[in-house]
Amino acid sequence: MENKRYEFKLIKLVRDEKDLTSIKETKLNILLVPVWTGANNIFFKENVMLNKNDIYTLNPSLEELFRNQKLNSNFFCIFDILNTGDVLPHGSIKKMGNIADTHLADLVSAELKGNNTWRLTRNLTKKCGSCIYRYLCPPISTFEIQSEDFGGCCVDI
């Protein structure tokens, strides 16, 4: 074990400025994962949501631009299976069936027809639908769905 190299990733859940301050004091490479609590909207607006300068510095590939028009890559092809066996499309609270009695092909078909989250794109939302940046921005996130604030940016249109 002495001569072996191990790779690991440190992940820190960040809820507020205090969490950020404690990280800035370390020299470690840490992956920051913002956590929305419902009471930290100002923190999210200042540190997570995009502004025009952020959008201008994004450099999405053509593949990403085309993908952002048709599907949500944060959710696409992902199901959440609860401990009860209930199946939900990732990012949704809508139960689609139970893993014990529903075939995977039926779940996939139902999600593609129901369009719960896999194809939830910015052009389908009220705030982003007419924005010129809608395909440049990252796909809709779980935070936006849970907070019912579709528009992960601070750009006024």
Side-chain angles (χ1 to χ4, degrees):
M1 286 182 62
E2 294 173 16
N3 297 327
K4 292 185 180 183
R5 290 189 167 170
Y6 296 96
E7 290 185 31
F8 59 93
K9 219 184 259 188
L10 294 174
I11 299 174
K12 170 72 174 164
L13 302 179
V14 181
R15 298 171 304 244
D16 54 29
E17 291 289 336
K18 189 169 60 173
D19 289 342
L20 279 179
T21 304
S22 66
I23 293 167
K24 289 177 183 174
E25 297 170 1
T26 70
K27 303 280 187 212
L28 299 173
N29 186 12
I30 301 173
L31 175 63
L32 304 177
V33 177
V35 177
W36 180 66
T37 64
N40 59 351
N41 290 344
I42 293 171
F43 172 77
F44 258 72
K45 285 191 187 287
E46 293 173 354
N47 297 286
V48 177
M49 297 174 79
L50 300 174
N51 59 42
K52 274 188 185 177
N53 289 335
D54 295 329
I55 293 170
Y56 290 144
T57 61
L58 295 173
N59 190 19
S61 67
L62 286 177
E63 180 180 303
E64 290 170 310
L65 289 173
F66 289 122
R67 183 175 50 223
N68 287 347
Q69 294 177 38
K70 295 296 179 186
L71 63 91
N72 186 316
S73 60
N74 285 334
F75 306 131
F76 194 69
C77 291
I78 301 173
F79 286 116
D80 294 332
I81 303 173
L82 305 180
N83 60 348
T84 60
D86 291 341
V87 180
L88 300 86
H90 186 64
S92 177
I93 58 171
K94 182 179 179 186
K95 176 184 167 186
M96 301 184 61
N98 192 288
I99 196 71
D101 57 15
T102 311
H103 292 284
L104 180 59
D106 294 333
L107 293 168
V108 170
S109 177
E111 171 53 21
L112 290 172
K113 289 176 185 173
N115 198 19
N116 297 299
T117 61
W118 288 7
R119 293 187 293 154
L120 180 59
T121 58
R122 296 206 175 274
N123 54 326
L124 297 177
T125 67
K126 191 174 188 178
K127 182 177 179 183
C128 300
S130 60
C131 179
I132 61 172
Y133 305 115
R134 67 185 173 270
Y135 302 129
L136 294 173
C137 288
I140 294 170
S141 65
T142 305
F143 155 71
E144 293 172 85
I145 292 173
Q146 297 300 318
S147 68
E148 297 178 355
D149 182 10
F150 294 103
C153 70
C154 298
V155 176
D156 291 323
I157 313 168

